[in-house]
Amino acid sequence: MSENKETKKSARSANYLSAKESRRISRQNRKITSAMEKKYRRKNVPESEYLTQMHDPRNVVEFDDLHSYFFTDTGTVKAVDGVTYEVPQGMTVGVVGESGCGKSVTSLSLMQLLQRPQGQIVSGSIRLNLGDKAYDVAKMPMRAMEQIRGNQVSMIFQEPMTSLNPVFRIGAQVDEVIKLHNPTWSKGQVKQRTIEMLEMVGIANSEGVYRMYPHELSGGMRQRVMISIALACNPRLIIADEPTTALDVTIQAQILDLLRGLKDKINSSIMLITHDLGVIAEMADYVVVMYAGRIVEKGTAQEIFSNPSHPYTIGLMASKPVINRRVDRLYSIPGKVPNPIDMPDYCYFRDRCEQCVERCQGKYPPEIHLTDTHVVSCYRYWDFHKEDK
C-alpha cells in the first residue's frame, strides 16, 4: 500500500510545476527571446553577415544541424533537434512522419515564419541557393527575408479553407504577392499576371474567380488559388505543406498532377510535407523520415520503399493499407512519443521499438551510412556496420 502511495506521489511531482518555477522559466525565456528578437529586427545589416557558400551548388536548400525551439512557460520544446538534409535543384523531396515530429516547423524555419517570440531558430544553418549567391536564412534579418519569402521561396499552406483571407477578393490576394516583388509594375500588368496564374493552375473562369471571395469557391478551387499565389513569382523552391488535406481523392490526384507539371514548367524544386505514403511514392525523388524532431532515415524513394531500415520507417510502411490484402485490423506502432519538453538522451524511438536491443540503453547514435544516399540512425543496425566490427 505504501509503495502505491509513493508511486502516485512521485508521478504527481513529476508532472507538477510550481508557480515559482514557472516564473523562473518565464524570466529566462524572455531574456533568451529578447536577445534573439533584437538580432532579427536590426536595420541596415550588411549582406556579408549572412552570405554563405553551398556545400553542393546543385542543391537549392541545405539544412545543416538545424535546431528550432519553442520557449514555453512549462519548458523548452525542441521541435526540431539537429535536422540535416538537402533539397536538390529540380527534384522533389518528401518529408514524412507523425503529427508533431517537426516537418512543418522545419519548413517554417526556412520561411522565418515561426510563431515568435516563443519560436526561434537556436542554432544550425539553412543555406539557400539563389544562383549567383547563397544566404544563410538562420542569420538573415527580418527585412532581408521579406525580399526572399514569396519570391525565391514560397509555401502552399496546410489548410486552404483558412489560409485565404475571407474579407478580400481572390484577385486582391494574388495581386498582393506580385505587386510586392514587382513594385515597378502597373496595376494592369499585375492583374494580367494574376489572371495568367489562375489559368495556369486550371481555373477556367479566371476573370470571374478574380472577383470572387474565398467562401464562393470549393476546397479544390481554393487550393488551386493557394498554388497560384505560391507560384506567382516563379520561386526556386516550393514548400507544399499537406497540399491535399481535406480534398477528395479525385481532386487530390488533380492537385498532385498540377504540382508535378508546374514544377517542370518553371524548373523549381518541391519540398513535399505529408502523412500520405502513397503521395510520397508517386511524387518524391528523395524521402526524409522524421520522428520527434530528428531524422531517423533518409534516402531515395526507391531505397526507402523497397528496403526500409529504421524500425520506425518499417512501422510506418506496415501501418498503411494494401490493395487486395484483407486484414482484420490495421497495424499501429505501439506506445507514444516522448514528452518534447523532457526528451531522453537515448534513442527517442527506443520505448516504442519492437526490435529494441541492449545497446539502445546508451546515447543516441550518429548517422550510419548504408550507401551514399541511404542513411539510417539506429543502434539495431550497428552489428552490420563495418566500423563497429
Side-chain angles (χ1 to χ4, degrees), residues 309-363:
S309 298
H310 194 280
Y312 177 65
T313 313
I314 295 170
L316 284 181
M317 298 295 181
S319 301
K320 71 181 190 298
V322 180
I323 297 175
N324 298 327
R325 182 189 296 174
R326 183 173 179 177
V327 293
D328 295 329
R329 186 175 182 178
L330 286 175
Y331 173 81
S332 63
I333 301 172
K336 60 181 180 180
V337 181
N339 186 349
I341 294 176
D342 187 23
M343 286 293 196
D345 60 355
Y346 51 78
C347 175
Y348 290 174
F349 192 63
R350 189 195 73 180
D351 296 330
R352 302 179 69 187
C353 182
E354 295 177 330
Q355 305 171 44
C356 186
V357 294
E358 188 66 27
R359 293 190 180 193
C360 294
Q361 306 297 324
K363 299 288 184 181

Side-chain angles (χ1 to χ4, degrees), residues 33-49:
T33 56
S34 295
M36 291 180 173
E37 284 296 297
K38 191 180 291 185
K39 187 177 179 182
Y40 273 124
R41 296 180 185 278
R42 289 178 302 159
K43 297 178 182 178
N44 303 320
V45 179
E47 187 183 60
S48 58
E49 195 169 305

Side-chain angles (χ1 to χ4, degrees), residues 197-362:
M197 293 309 303
L198 294 176
E199 290 174 351
M200 185 185 291
V201 296
I203 296 176
N205 182 23
S206 55
E207 290 279 359
V209 170
Y210 183 90
R211 295 187 295 272
M212 290 182 181
Y213 288 96
H215 72 268
E216 299 179 79
L217 303 179
S218 66
M221 290 285 277
R222 272 182 268 195
Q223 189 64 284
R224 291 171 189 269
V225 172
M226 288 297 302
I227 294 173
S228 71
I229 292 173
L231 302 182
C233 297
N234 293 337
R236 297 175 65 85
L237 176 67
I238 305 162
I239 302 170
D241 189 357
E242 299 279 358
T244 57
T245 298
L247 301 178
D248 61 70
V249 178
T250 306
I251 302 299
Q252 281 187 23
Q254 292 177 6
I255 295 296
L256 292 176
D257 287 339
L258 177 65
L259 274 174
R260 193 186 297 109
L262 291 174
K263 182 201 78 169
D264 297 334
K265 193 171 184 178
I266 65 176
N267 193 30
S268 291
S269 304
I270 294 180
M271 184 173 157
L272 180 62
I273 300 169
T274 182
H275 296 98
D276 194 333
L277 292 172
V279 171
I280 291 293
E282 183 182 349
M283 290 283 293
D285 301 298
Y286 298 92
V287 180
V288 174
V289 184
M290 289 189 68
Y291 179 78
R294 288 179 172 174
I295 293 175
V296 294
E297 189 167 0
K298 60 184 177 181
T300 65
Q302 185 175 357
E303 287 170 338
I304 297 295
F305 280 92
S306 62
N307 184 32
S309 298
H310 194 280
Y312 177 65
T313 313
I314 295 170
L316 284 181
M317 298 295 181
S319 301
K320 71 181 190 298
V322 180
I323 297 175
N324 298 327
R325 182 189 296 174
R326 183 173 179 177
V327 293
D328 295 329
R329 186 175 182 178
L330 286 175
Y331 173 81
S332 63
I333 301 172
K336 60 181 180 180
V337 181
N339 186 349
I341 294 176
D342 187 23
M343 286 293 196
D345 60 355
Y346 51 78
C347 175
Y348 290 174
F349 192 63
R350 189 195 73 180
D351 296 330
R352 302 179 69 187
C353 182
E354 295 177 330
Q355 305 171 44
C356 186
V357 294
E358 188 66 27
R359 293 190 180 193
C360 294
Q361 306 297 324

Side-chain angles (χ1 to χ4, degrees), residues 53-165:
Q53 291 288 330
M54 303 295 291
H55 285 183
D56 187 344
R58 293 171 297 180
N59 294 329
V60 67
V61 171
E62 294 173 347
F63 296 94
D64 191 357
D65 195 29
L66 178 66
H67 293 256
S68 295
Y69 296 169
F70 290 93
F71 297 93
T72 71
D73 290 342
T74 55
T76 302
V77 178
K78 298 180 179 180
V80 176
D81 192 17
V83 163
T84 300
Y85 68 93
E86 305 80 29
V87 180
Q89 178 67 42
M91 297 292 182
T92 300
V93 176
V95 186
V96 296
E98 295 173 319
S99 294
C101 71
K103 306 186 300 296
S104 295
V105 175
T106 305
S107 64
L108 291 172
S109 300
L110 170 57
M111 297 288 287
Q112 280 199 9
L113 289 176
L114 289 174
Q115 187 178 356
R116 300 207 326 247
Q118 289 82 11
Q120 298 285 346
I121 299 173
V122 175
S123 64
S125 59
I126 307 172
R127 293 183 290 273
L128 177 62
N129 190 350
L130 302 179
D132 56 338
K133 54 188 173 182
Y135 288 157
D136 186 348
V137 173
K139 296 179 180 177
M140 288 181 70
M142 188 186 303
R143 292 183 179 258
M145 189 61 201
E146 287 173 356
Q147 304 302 315
I148 301 295
R149 190 191 302 123
N151 188 19
Q152 300 287 348
V153 182
S154 61
M155 188 168 183
I156 304 167
F157 290 95
Q158 190 164 356
E159 183 50 73
M161 307 295 181
T162 56
S163 296
L164 294 170
N165 194 319

